[in-house]
Amino acid sequence: MNENLAALVPELALLGAAVIGLLAGSWLPRRRQWIVAALAAVACATGLVATAVTMATDREQTVFSAAFAVDTATGVGRLIVLTALLLVIGMSVETVRNHAREAEYWVLLLMTGAGTLALVGANDLLMLFAAYLLASVPAYALAGFAKDALGTEAALKYYLMGALLGITMLAGTGLLYAAGHATHYGRLDTTLPSAPYGLVAVGLVGVLAGLLFKIGGVPAHFWVPDVTDGAPAPVAAYVTTLPKVGGLIAGYRLLHQALADSDVNWSLLIAILAAVTMTLGNLGAFFQTSVKRLLAYSTISQVGYLLMALAVTTRSDLAQRSLLLYLAAYSLTNLGAFAVVTALPQARALDDYRGLARRHPGHAAVLVVCLLGLVGTPPTGVFLGKLEIFSATIDGGYTWLAALAVANTVASLFYYLRWLGPLFLTTDTAAVDSPEGWGGWSAVTAHLAGVLSLTLGIAGQAVLTVAEGPLLS
């Protein structure tokens, strides 16, 4: 049994910082609680350095009786999660500064981030469920951090949906264990093909229900608009971004490692879920006037595109790298849009952004890059991600799904333009005139995310060259 703790430096860094931050926050005066935020940033940076070193050695391994896999997919997932977590920390500074529970905010963020990293490397059903809980429970508290009416409602809905689908996931885990007499993916891959079809099918649906909750996919998407709207903007940015990285990589590993040879037609099931998710998300976004609710439905539609990669997990060699590239590009682009929303707390509706290009062209430029990036416009990273996922879907035999995704992409341009249009109009309102909206960490985060999204798109060909071939052993 390999218990090499050095392979888990990123996860241990976040958990260690959470424990130290909780203790330090109990003694630090309120004006000094920013130290816990600095500690959180250092933990993320430590994880990034450790991940880079691990990937440079090109050594794949498993730890804790092979319950956790450290391979290329885990490494890329860690890079995405830790970079995104740093951006969330940056955009949270003004939101929680001098808050009575500032230290607790950073601790909760570190804990749920560690849970997301655990999802990325989960190679066993029990590990998968434990990671689900660690990623979810602190996020429920973060959703209601503001303790206002909307935040309380958001936290309650988030918790109830998470508890219900968590129980469903646990039941599915039990059924798959009963069918395959194991929880480790490698052993399930050899036992599930000869197991009763119905037992495997129902168990898989149960486990997928929990993962669909994490990523915000249909039919487990109902919490997304209300939680995004009710939670503080940095928390909304978190819950619409990082859980998707963990949940989708976890789902990909489960299907690739444990169910590749199963008779259950999970590929068609996920293709249908992808089609419904992207279409429903776009339809819901058409009629939104709140920027946060528009981004909420936008993120549902993005899940539909990402699920396409899972549908062709074993049918296309392009699926793995397209999923990871899309996740990286989407994370940067979505966080950039939310960082602008965080920097302009008084601008809550689309019309509140009228005249933003004249008053602050930098913020307007970031919004243009990020919103057109979410459509899939070159040269942003999402364009390359969509191109790769569409190619993988066609290569996997789901041409109809790729055609539907193209139609949804074109349709999504409408509601993004509804937001972009007012940026360049004149206005007499002062919703975007507040001086405190122009500077600070949120503005820096927004510009950084926009630049990174463009950089990934421009340098994407090199990324694809490096990522050639399967990433999961």
Side-chain angles (χ1 to χ4, degrees):
M1 180 172 64
N2 180 11
E3 294 186 359
N4 178 22
L5 293 180
L8 301 176
V9 169
E11 292 78 14
L12 293 175
L14 295 190
L15 291 174
V19 173
I20 296 172
L22 185 62
L23 295 174
S26 301
W27 296 96
L28 289 171
R30 187 173 300 176
R31 66 181 183 279
R32 298 283 180 84
Q33 301 226 335
W34 60 267
I35 294 175
V36 183
L39 178 65
V42 169
C44 291
T46 301
L48 285 171
V49 172
T51 300
V53 171
T54 301
M55 296 180 71
T57 61
D58 198 26
R59 180 188 174 192
E60 297 187 355
Q61 58 184 311
T62 57
V63 294
F64 298 127
S65 299
F68 190 91
V70 181
D71 52 23
T72 307
T74 303
V76 175
R78 283 170 167 174
L79 292 177
I80 298 171
V81 170
L82 292 170
T83 301
L85 197 57
L86 273 174
L87 293 174
V88 173
I89 291 171
M91 73 176 74
S92 299
V93 172
E94 283 90 9
T95 302
V96 298
R97 179 182 292 160
N98 297 323
H99 193 283
R101 296 289 180 266
E102 181 179 353
E104 286 88 334
Y105 177 91
W106 304 118
V107 169
L108 290 170
L109 200 59
L110 287 167
M111 294 292 288
T112 188
T116 304
L117 290 182
L119 279 171
V120 166
N123 200 41
D124 183 281
L125 289 175
L126 295 180
M127 181 67 188
L128 180 66
F129 184 69
Y132 172 92
L133 292 178
L134 182 56
S136 299
V137 175
Y140 303 151
L142 285 173
F145 191 78
K147 293 187 177 181
D148 55 11
L150 282 177
T152 302
E153 180 183 353
L156 183 60
K157 290 181 177 179
Y158 200 15
Y159 164 72
L160 290 176
M161 285 288 294
L164 173 63
L165 294 173
I167 292 172
T168 305
M169 185 181 190
L170 185 59
T173 298
L175 291 175
L176 288 180
Y177 175 75
H181 306 289
T183 57
H184 181 258
Y185 293 170
R187 292 185 60 188
L188 288 173
D189 189 44
T190 60
T191 57
L192 288 182
S194 58
Y197 180 92
L199 199 59
V200 176
V202 176
L204 176 60
V205 168
V207 174
L208 288 178
L211 292 177
L212 285 171
F213 165 77
K214 290 307 301 175
I215 66 177
V218 173
H221 69 287
F222 294 103
W223 62 272
V224 179
D226 291 330
V227 173
T228 304
D229 193 35
V235 176
Y238 177 90
V239 300
T240 58
T241 307
L242 274 80
K244 289 174 175 47
V245 181
L248 284 160
I249 295 179
Y252 201 107
R253 193 185 299 277
L254 170 67
L255 298 173
H256 184 272
Q257 304 286 55
L259 290 134
D261 299 320
S262 173
D263 293 333
V264 177
N265 193 0
W266 49 262
S267 180
L268 179 60
L269 170 64
I270 294 177
I272 293 172
L273 290 174
V276 175
T277 300
M278 69 177 74
T279 304
L280 188 147
N282 278 331
L283 290 175
F286 282 150
F287 310 103
Q288 301 303 317
T289 57
S290 164
V291 293
K292 290 171 72 175
R293 293 187 77 88
L294 187 149
L295 285 173
Y297 281 102
S298 165
T299 197
I300 294 172
S301 70
Q302 297 293 331
V303 170
Y305 304 130
L306 287 159
L307 282 172
M308 293 165 62
L310 269 66
V312 295
T313 297
T314 56
R315 299 163 69 105
S316 172
D317 291 336
L318 300 173
Q320 299 172 5
R321 74 183 192 204
S322 67
L323 174 65
L324 295 177
L325 177 60
Y326 199 139
L327 282 172
Y330 166 74
S331 297
L332 294 172
T333 308
N334 190 60
L335 289 175
F338 266 105
V340 175
V341 173
T342 305
L344 301 170
Q346 303 305 318
R348 300 175 181 175
L350 299 181
D351 284 343
D352 292 337
Y353 285 78
R354 184 181 295 266
L356 182 64
R358 180 171 61 85
R359 290 178 169 81
H360 200 279
H363 281 58
V366 172
L367 271 182
V368 170
V369 168
C370 292
L371 296 182
L372 291 182
L374 290 173
V375 177
T377 306
T380 60
V382 175
F383 167 73
L384 283 178
K386 279 194 174 182
L387 191 62
E388 283 289 299
I389 274 190
F390 291 174
S391 300
T393 304
I394 295 171
D395 184 54
Y398 286 117
T399 305
W400 64 269
L401 181 58
L404 180 63
V406 171
N408 270 283
T409 297
V410 174
S412 69
L413 186 61
F414 168 75
Y415 59 81
Y416 289 121
L417 288 178
R418 287 182 60 229
W419 190 349
L420 290 175
L423 302 184
F424 304 96
L425 300 177
T426 58
T427 180
D428 295 328
T429 63
V432 294
D433 276 338
S434 178
E436 61 266 24
W438 304 134
W441 287 96
S442 298
V444 172
T445 302
H447 289 77
L448 178 60
V451 169
L452 289 175
S453 178
L454 284 175
T455 303
L456 182 59
I458 295 170
Q461 191 56 52
V463 174
L464 294 178
T465 301
V466 173
E468 281 185 2
L471 298 175
L472 295 175
S473 57

